Amino acid sequence: MMAMDTMVAEGPRSPEAKLGLRVEDLWDVMEPQLSPTEKLNACFESIPVSAFPMAPSNKELEIKSDATLAEAVKVLARHNILSAPVVNVDAPEDASWLDRYIGIIEFAGIAVWILHQSEPTTPTSPSTPNTPTSASAIAAKANGLTFALELENLGLGSAATTSGNFFEDLISSEPYKNTKVCDISGTFRWAPFLALERSNSFLTMLLLLSKYKMKSVPVVDLGADRIDNIITQSAVIHMLAECAGLQWFESWGTKSLSEVGLPLVTPDQIIKVYEDEPVLQAFKLMRKKRIGGVPVMDRDQGKAVGNISLRDVQFLLTAPEIYHDYRSITVKDFVTAVRSYLEKNKDANPMSSELVTCKIDCTIKDLIKLLDDEKIHRVYVVDDDGNLQGLITLRDIISRLVHEPRGYFGDFFDGVLPLPLDCRV
């Protein structure tokens, strides 16, 4: 892997690079006795999140709470994004932002909810035949019927026997077409809704995306009582990639993975799936283990040959016809079908099926460039023979950039953490 040039490029700078220069200016005036980590903490604490560049796809894109799951999927797919804020259609015109929004809905959240409904229901007692199980209670609330039983009727009772036309039947089914976003609001995101104000610091945002495992952080404009921006882990990594060559970045980015304590996930901790396993079982495994992706293994060679992530489940909902001829859908079938689909549909969201790797002597800077160039969320660390040695995610990298000072958040999480019992993502 070629190291990036440490010279700062001439010419117009991106908004992210300008932000990096702002950190650079702060870095230069920090107390000399501070360690590099303490300097970075202090720099990021001095910059408000309002300074973070807004992604074009974030502008004015909201999903109404009375939209159906089918409509939400179409909106996300059409705009080539993975999540969007949900606005409460019943909120009054002068509602505060807290009443205006009910959360953030994601492709993964919709998929996880569907997978949860598909799990076997617990037999009910003969004396209470109409008592819904926990898995079907949400669906009953949504439609006045048990979505789980509907899915079983479609053939999702066993992941191993799910036929290729199942998802065509699913997206044309009444439960899928009629269930509204607001009906699953308690299952896909924080409750109550967690967001930052424009005046909150970069350090707060970075800690939420890393230590506190948020996938994205909404930023609220209190004056307008609406979401002004949504900052994702990927956006932060892109910002860091644009800062190559700056002194503060080089002091951290030129370190090797092992020098900053990466990878955090060791070989024996990596959850794997095999090519011949049912793809639905792979997605259920990710939901059960609360992970975003898994390596795909060749059973004969014992080597990793690909990757599949929870966000790839979108292709089961947006292009179900591509599996029509399969008697059952294995991980290999799924990857093959989606790759063929993407070759014909260049504007679709990319799939993260390729196995992207690095070596343990890779630098943080090179790893960030790799993640940003490939637009992926995870990289596998391998040895010279291609054996898995660890896993590094975007969250892991951000966690190595800053640390949480003692008592930093105070009562910030009161009423928000822990996650609600029925939260699935």
Side-chain angles (χ1 to χ4, degrees), residues 273-275 296-306 332:
V273 297
Y274 290 90
E275 286 185 303
V296 178
M297 309 293 293
D298 181 291
R299 194 177 293 277
D300 295 329
Q301 298 182 5
K303 302 281 188 179
V305 293
K332 185 175 183 179

Side-chain angles (χ1 to χ4, degrees), residues 229-248:
N229 197 5
I230 297 179
I231 303 174
T232 64
Q233 295 172 356
S234 296
V236 171
I237 293 298
H238 178 63
M239 182 209 78
L240 293 174
E242 292 289 298
C243 295
L246 297 176
Q247 182 184 355
W248 69 267

Side-chain angles (χ1 to χ4, degrees), residues 255-263 358-364 367 381 392:
K255 295 179 180 178
S256 68
L257 300 182
S258 57
E259 286 182 285
V260 297
L262 294 176
C358 71
K359 299 292 181 61
I360 192 64
D361 59 355
C362 177
T363 65
I364 286 289
L367 180 59
V381 182
I392 302 174

